[in-house]
Amino acid sequence: MFAFVKLSHMNIEIDKLYGPEFLMSNEERPIGEQIGNLISAIGNHEAKALTLLAMKDGAIYNKHELSARIRELQGRNPIWRQSYSLPFDYCAHSLSPIGLVTREILSPNLSAYGYQISEYGRRVGIPFAGLLLDFSDQNNISLERLFASTASSSKKENKEDKRRAPSTTLSIMRKIHILEKNSISLIELLDMFKDVKSHIIVRHIKRLAEIGLLNLEAGNLTASDDQRIIFTDLLERIDRFKIGDREVIEKAQVLADGIVYDSKKFSSLMGRAKENSGHASSSSLVETKKMIFSILFGMSGMSNIQIRQELEKQYDKKLKLHTVEKITSAMVKENMAKVIKEGRHLKYFLD
């Protein structure tokens, strides 16, 4: 557990704070909103947080370089050999939208680009990632299962519900944490949330119960002393970071650096992400189609044999030839690609 004095009892001297302005990005969003955005961007998935940690200051990474960097930091036997596109997708869809990384053009014709960690990413993102990755490591809890990754949330939830999932999870934990008693009925807890639909709260509660942070039985919620200690640990990490506590932020930076330079810990956290990630399925048809699309984008006019070779070379994905043939045939039917017969071979192009 991170050694903190409880917030309710603390009296921190001003010179020990960086202050709330520490968190302010160029867009100057409210601090509370920034914490929610940080969790949604890097705090709800170990692999996304590790992607940010992997980026060296001043370096611009293309798709292949970023993937290679993450494999390198896992040591000689990477636990999760992600597709080349996945870390790049994290940058595009999670890190870049809130300013943790910036997109940089790499070619004069604007066709090639990469990502570089931003000043906000270095100053705020790195220590925040270190803080939550250490929580995951110390408590053996998946960040994705804890905060309900927006990518894995139920399809029944709308975009706003998914965006607010981390904040809703924290609110539930806070309300249970401050209770003088160790139990509360589900009805009582639902009454505390007037602006969130009941079925959303119930879904979060069930998830927290599934990972062992709550006990749900016969309509009653209970939290043991050990479970409340974990609540305290997480909430105090986030709350002290939120107010710009110098001690916490500097320690979080040290934790982040330690993860980068410890291949066993880096690899272990990647393994936890893999266990709980929908992207980790090697048999995913959708992911394989994306890989083939990417291959054809770079080298159009390839045969199934060549595509099979590139899948293994670029993505470490070994498939039988007839499997590749079935997938490319499906891509043609779905207008994802077109095929031309040249001699005895079928050649595939992007449509």
Side-chain angles (χ1 to χ4, degrees):
M1 179 178 173
F2 218 49
F4 291 150
V5 178
K6 288 189 177 181
L7 281 170
S8 56
H9 300 141
M10 71 181 184
N11 182 19
I12 301 176
E13 297 175 15
I14 295 299
D15 63 359
K16 292 184 179 179
L17 294 178
Y18 284 119
E21 65 275 8
F22 166 81
L23 281 178
M24 299 309 288
S25 67
N26 292 333
E27 298 180 22
E28 297 187 347
R29 294 187 181 101
I31 292 173
E33 182 181 339
Q34 283 198 59
I35 291 294
N37 288 341
L38 283 167
I39 294 175
S40 295
I42 56 175
N44 64 355
H45 199 294
E46 286 85 357
K48 292 196 293 183
L50 291 167
T51 296
L52 185 68
L53 262 58
M55 302 177 80
K56 294 180 179 179
D57 191 13
I60 301 174
Y61 295 89
N62 64 28
K63 178 168 58 176
H64 298 284
E65 290 167 342
L66 186 56
S67 176
R69 171 68 173 158
I70 292 171
R71 292 191 186 193
E72 171 197 347
L73 291 175
Q74 293 184 68
R76 298 180 63 180
N77 298 299
I79 289 181
W80 189 5
R81 294 177 177 270
Q82 299 169 304
S83 71
Y84 281 108
S85 62
L86 190 52
F88 217 60
D89 288 345
Y90 291 154
C91 288
H93 303 301
S94 295
L95 279 61
S96 179
I98 70 165
L100 294 171
V101 298
T102 58
R103 177 169 161 163
E104 305 291 339
I105 302 300
L106 296 175
S107 63
N109 64 2
L110 309 182
S111 63
Y113 64 93
Y115 287 99
Q116 179 180 29
I117 189 169
S118 67
E119 187 273 337
Y120 180 63
R122 291 191 303 273
R123 178 170 53 86
V124 176
I126 292 292
F128 191 76
L131 207 60
L132 291 189
L133 286 169
D134 180 70
F135 174 84
S136 172
D137 182 55
Q138 293 296 321
N139 295 284
N140 194 27
I141 292 175
S142 159
L143 295 178
E144 183 168 7
R145 297 190 68 192
L146 173 63
F147 285 118
S149 167
T150 52
S152 62
S153 297
S154 169
K155 292 181 180 179
K156 294 180 180 179
E157 294 182 36
N158 59 36
K159 290 183 179 179
E160 180 64 14
D161 291 331
K162 292 180 180 181
R163 185 186 68 80
R164 294 179 58 185
S167 297
T168 303
T169 298
L170 287 175
S171 294
I172 292 171
M173 296 176 73
R174 288 185 195 283
K175 293 184 185 302
I176 294 175
H177 179 255
I178 63 175
L179 291 175
E180 294 183 0
K181 54 185 180 179
N182 281 355
S183 66
I184 184 174
S185 73
L186 182 57
I187 298 299
E188 287 179 282
L189 185 63
L190 292 176
D191 285 342
M192 297 180 183
F193 291 89
K194 302 299 183 183
D195 59 341
V196 184
K197 296 175 182 177
S198 295
H199 74 275
I200 299 295
I201 299 297
V202 171
R203 186 174 297 133
H204 287 307
I205 289 171
K206 287 182 177 179
R207 191 186 69 257
L208 292 173
E210 286 173 359
I211 62 176
L213 288 183
L214 287 175
N215 306 306
L216 176 60
E217 187 175 351
N220 286 309
L221 291 168
T222 61
S224 67
D225 290 341
D226 287 342
Q227 289 168 327
R228 289 163 75 98
I229 286 173
I230 295 176
F231 282 11
T232 301
D233 184 14
L234 177 63
L235 293 174
E236 290 184 0
R237 286 172 189 251
I238 292 175
D239 288 345
R240 282 181 172 261
F241 188 91
K242 184 176 177 179
I243 63 172
D245 185 329
R246 182 187 298 269
E247 178 187 1
V248 170
I249 292 165
E250 291 179 350
K251 185 169 183 178
Q253 180 67 60
V254 172
L255 289 170
D257 291 342
I259 291 169
V260 171
Y261 291 109
D262 185 341
S263 61
K264 288 185 178 179
K265 184 170 291 187
F266 195 101
S267 189
S268 174
L269 288 164
M270 283 294 291
R272 182 166 299 137
K274 179 181 180 181
E275 289 173 6
N276 295 279
S277 176
H279 290 286
S281 173
S282 61
S283 61
S284 169
L285 179 59
V286 173
E287 285 299 308
T288 304
K289 287 179 179 178
K290 288 181 180 178
M291 293 174 190
I292 294 175
F293 186 91
S294 179
I295 290 169
L296 293 177
F297 183 81
M299 295 174 284
S300 199
M302 302 186 75
S303 67
N304 282 310
I305 293 175
Q306 292 170 319
I307 291 172
R308 178 174 177 264
Q309 291 170 342
E310 288 300 318
L311 282 169
E312 183 172 353
K313 178 182 176 182
Q314 293 189 31
Y315 298 98
D316 196 30
K317 190 175 186 68
K318 299 178 181 180
L319 295 177
K320 294 181 179 179
L321 182 58
H322 72 84
T323 301
V324 175
E325 291 171 346
K326 287 182 179 180
I327 296 173
T328 52
S329 176
M331 290 176 67
V332 171
K333 291 179 181 178
E334 296 166 9
N335 294 320
M336 290 181 66
K338 63 181 180 180
V339 61
I340 297 176
K341 189 171 184 179
E342 294 184 2
R344 298 174 57 188
H345 298 286
L346 297 176
K347 296 294 183 72
Y348 293 86
F349 303 79
L350 292 185
D351 196 7

